Structures are given as C-alpha cells and as structure tokens.
Amino acid sequence: NRRIALASRPVGAPTSANFRLEETVIPTPSEGELLLRTNYLSLDPYMRGRMNDGASYAEPVAIDGTMVGATVCQVVTSLHPDYHAGEWVLAYTGWQDYGISDGEGLIKLGAEPTNPSFALGILGMPGFTAYMGLLDIGQPKSGDTLVVAAATGPVGATVGQIGKLKGCYVVGIAGGAEKCKYAVDVLGFDKCIDHKASDFDAQLKAACPTGIDVYFENVGGKVFDSVLPQLNTGARVPVCGLVSQYNATELPSGPDRLSLLMGTLLVKRIKMQGFIIFDDYAHRYNEFYEQMMTWLQSGQIKYREHMIDGLESAPAAFTGMLQGENFGKLVVKVAE
Ligand code: NDP
C-alpha cells in the first residue's frame, strides 16, 4: 500500500519536497467497515488550500497526514451490511492505494459503471459546481453575455456549455491557442481568449461588445481586473474560485483597487456571491445528476478528461494544474 503524505507546507507553488511517497501496510477493516482499492484519484485546485495551515472552510491536512481527495474505488473486503466485494463507490480516501471506510459519505456507483471516473468530474463535484453556480447565482438569461475562465477545465467547460444551452453568448478565457480552439470548436463557445496574450484586455473588450452580464469567477487576478470595468448594470458574479491566487504568498502589488470594486458593485447594482458547493447545495445533487446525465447522453454536454497514470505522478500533475498544464479534468489512474 502506497500513500502520499504532506511532508511540509508549501510557500508559494508546491514542489516535490512538499510531498512524500511511502509504503505502508494494507489496512484491515473492522466490523462495520470496508477495505477500498483506489482506481481513480481526483486532483482539484482546492487541495492547494488544504496544504496550508490556518482557518478555511475545511480542515488543513496535517503534516505527515495523507493528502485528501475524492476517489473512485472498488470494495475489496466488506464487513458492512450494505456493501459487497467488487462494487464500485465514490469515496474520499485520498492519495493512497487502499483506504478504510465505515460507509459514511460513500456513494454507490454500481457493479459495472460505464465511466466510473466521471463521478469525479462532470457527474460529480466540478460538474455540480458549474451547474449550481451558474444557474442559481449567475441566473443566465437568453441573450446574456457570459464570461468564464479556466474554460477547458471541468468547471469552466461545463459553465460555458450550460450557458449555451440557456441561450447565452459565451466567451471563454483559457491559457494558450490549443485550449481556446477547443473551447470554440468542440465546446461550442462563441469566442475564447488567451489570458497570456499581451493584448488580453483589448481582446476581451472586443469579444464582449455589449458588456458582460454574467462573469463566473474561477481565477481572479488579472482576468478579474479586465472583467470588472466591462460588467453591465445588474450583472451577476458567482465567486467559485481564485486559482490564480492559490500559490500567492502576499496580496498583489499595485494600486489599491478595493474602492474601484466597491464603487462598481454599488453603481451597477452587481450581485457577487461566493459559494461552497456541497455546503450550500447538497440538497440539489439529485436534480443536477439527472439533468447532467440527460445532457451527456444526448451529446449536448461534452466532457474531457486528462488522465495520468500512477499514484506517484500525482504531486507533479497537481502542481502543474495550478499553472494550467492540465487540459481537461485531471484524474490519476491508480489501478485498473
Ligand atoms: P481546472 O481543471 O480548470 O484547473 C485550473 C485551471 O486554472 C488551469 O488549468 C488553468 O487553465 C487555470 N489557471 C491557472 N492559473 C491561472 C491564471 N493565473 N490565470 C488564469 N487562469 C489560470 O480546475 P477546476 O475546473 O477543477 O476548478 C476551477 C475553479 O473552480 C477553481 O478556482 C476551483 O478552486 C473552483 N472550484 C470551486 C468550488 C466551490 O465549491 N466553490 C468547487 C470546485 C471547484 P488555463 O490554462 O486555461 O489558464
């Protein structure tokens, strides 16, 4: 049994020295428990926050603790009345080959799920985040201009595609020409702009000639600086994540823009609201799941995974994701 522990807390971007791969014995389940074998491990931006000490909406990972994360597993041994060996489950056993569960929080995926890893992406937390953040907070209306960054990741790609289904004019923001082309050609966005372009600000303005009605905030930083003056009166801004800032060690330099932000919110009566998906919307998961299954099966929503092999590859892949090296939902195949 291998596990990846948090060896030290990163300062800035995580490095391999912050993680430690170690061999441990395969744990033995007690009465009422299950032994789970990890098939797929999800890597998500929020994990960067768990590597820090200090108060957030969830507990930090302890030093020497196993890195946390959602997993798709098969039951190896069951001493729990509701589960039997061979069944697939969505679990939260973290960065390791085997984990123990008492059944709490497990979601059954059946005996032979078609795409088991989808439970970590389009049919799970990121897809649900896109759906609720856009529909409940973003309130998109037909004809609205919707802007979303990290446009080819599991949240952004889903936000933009749902926006299209609701009749919006959708402008994506992504890192590099290949991702931008994919957002337009495959995902069906109207435009997609490379945030690394030197004239990004001018390109965004040109792409949104009638201003921005919904800005789904995934990244913060310079992208938000360009978006803010283009928001329309009555715009909605679901604040989902600020991935450009997760490795930051201090506030960005430059003039204080807080009064510009507050003034814009006031004068344009903008609604800006943060949310934490399962804390706020767990009661609507079934509604989401049914709708997303329908969209996936009809081909109205497309989904791309970036699958990497081997638990040992997780630290580098995770660090790379925070710099945009992933192209699609980042998943580690831990075992067949
Ligand atoms: P992604 O797979 O999209 O990965 C993150 C992406 O962020 C990178 O691929 C990169 O894409 C982009 N990025 C990184 N740095 C920058 C930068 N400086 N400027 C602009 N873009 C940058 O992640 P997810 O789809 O899983 O998550 C998207 C967001 O949603 C994150 O902020 C995450 O924390 C948040 N989230 C929030 C939840 C909630 O409950 N509030 C739940 C789930 C996710 P590119 O190369 O295109 O720039």
Side-chain angles (χ1 to χ4, degrees), residues 125 129 153-155 174-175 179 195 218 240-241 243-244 246 275 277 326:
M125 195 270 283
T129 298
V155 175
K179 288 184 179 180
H195 63 81
N218 274 336
C240 174
V243 69
S244 77
Y246 291 171
F275 67 105
I277 187 60
N326 63 310

Side-chain angles (χ1 to χ4, degrees), residues 89-109:
V89 291
L90 174 64
Y92 201 76
T93 46
W95 299 27
Q96 56 185 345
D97 287 324
Y98 292 90
I100 294 284
S101 166
D102 62 4
E104 208 198 312
L106 292 187
I107 295 177
K108 288 185 178 238
L109 301 174

Side-chain angles (χ1 to χ4, degrees), residues 119-133:
L120 302 171
I122 189 69
L123 292 172
M125 195 270 283
F128 188 30
T129 298
Y131 179 90
M132 290 311 328

Side-chain angles (χ1 to χ4, degrees), residues 41-42 46-47 50 61 66-70 92-95:
L41 164 68
S42 183
Y46 75 84
M47 293 167 174
R50 302 291 168 86
V61 176
T66 304
M67 284 292 295
V68 292
Y92 201 76
T93 46
W95 299 27

Side-chain angles (χ1 to χ4, degrees), residues 3-324:
R3 70 168 193 127
I4 294 177
L6 179 65
S8 58
R9 300 204 185 277
V11 179
T15 69
S16 57
N18 301 127
F19 302 93
R20 189 176 60 245
L21 177 70
E22 38 177 64
E23 287 285 341
T24 60
V25 292
I26 297 178
T28 313
S30 307
E31 200 51 44
E33 291 183 336
L34 312 154
L35 175 64
L36 299 173
R37 173 75 167 109
T38 310
N39 294 86
Y40 300 99
L41 164 68
S42 183
L43 296 179
D44 299 275
Y46 75 84
M47 293 167 174
R48 178 63 186 82
R50 302 291 168 86
M51 298 175 80
N52 293 339
D53 212 353
S56 183
Y57 64 92
E59 285 289 301
V61 176
I63 294 293
D64 296 327
T66 304
M67 284 292 295
V68 292
T71 51
V72 165
C73 300
Q74 269 184 296
V75 177
V76 181
T77 315
S78 175
L79 300 178
H80 189 294
D82 299 342
Y83 295 88
H84 55 80
E87 246 184 304
W88 292 76
V89 291
L90 174 64
Y92 201 76
T93 46
W95 299 27
Q96 56 185 345
D97 287 324
Y98 292 90
I100 294 284
S101 166
D102 62 4
E104 208 198 312
L106 292 187
I107 295 177
K108 288 185 178 238
L109 301 174
E112 279 176 52
T114 316
N115 294 113
S117 59
F118 281 26
L120 302 171
I122 189 69
L123 292 172
M125 195 270 283
F128 188 30
T129 298
Y131 179 90
M132 290 311 328
L134 179 63
L135 296 182
D136 197 56
I137 302 174
Q139 300 279 331
K141 295 187 293 295
S142 184
D144 278 352
T145 294
L146 162 68
V147 173
V148 62
T152 62
V155 175
T158 312
V159 166
Q161 291 181 92
I162 298 174
K164 285 308 298 177
L165 292 171
K166 299 294 171 191
C168 296
Y169 171 80
V170 175
V171 177
I173 296 168
E178 196 193 357
K179 288 184 179 180
C180 287
K181 187 172 175 350
Y182 171 84
V184 173
D185 292 354
V186 179
L187 301 177
F189 289 23
D190 295 284
K191 297 255 163 60
C192 187
I193 295 168
D194 182 356
H195 63 81
K196 295 174 187 167
S198 54
D199 61 344
F200 167 71
D201 193 68
Q203 285 195 42
L204 185 65
K205 270 201 192 77
C208 304
T210 58
I212 299 170
D213 301 297
V214 183
Y215 173 59
F216 191 101
E217 176 62 293
N218 274 336
V219 301
K222 287 188 186 138
V223 171
F224 183 69
D225 287 344
S226 290
V227 163
L228 181 63
Q230 298 185 55
L231 291 172
N232 288 332
T233 297
R236 285 81 64 204
V237 182
V239 182
C240 174
L242 300 169
V243 69
S244 77
Q245 307 301 304
Y246 291 171
N247 286 329
T249 51
E250 54 186 21
L251 290 172
S253 59
D256 181 351
R257 299 183 295 281
L258 191 57
S259 59
L260 173 70
L261 171 63
M262 298 295 264
T264 308
L265 297 185
L266 170 64
V267 172
K268 293 184 174 168
R269 287 88 90 196
I270 289 165
K271 175 173 133 183
M272 197 173 194
Q273 186 185 321
F275 67 105
I276 302 295
I277 187 60
F278 283 107
D279 292 17
D280 296 333
Y281 292 110
H283 60 289
R284 293 185 63 181
Y285 182 76
N286 290 344
E287 163 204 327
F288 151 76
Y289 185 86
E290 277 172 32
Q291 175 64 81
M292 190 53 75
M293 270 306 251
T294 309
W295 280 336
L296 268 179
Q297 283 166 351
S298 65
Q300 284 169 289
I301 295 270
K302 308 250 178 352
Y303 178 57
R304 178 183 180 120
E305 286 183 317
H306 183 156
M307 186 78 74
I308 61 157
D309 263 320
L311 184 66
E312 66 285 355
S313 313
F318 171 69
T319 306
M321 172 176 61
L322 298 171
Q323 260 111 41

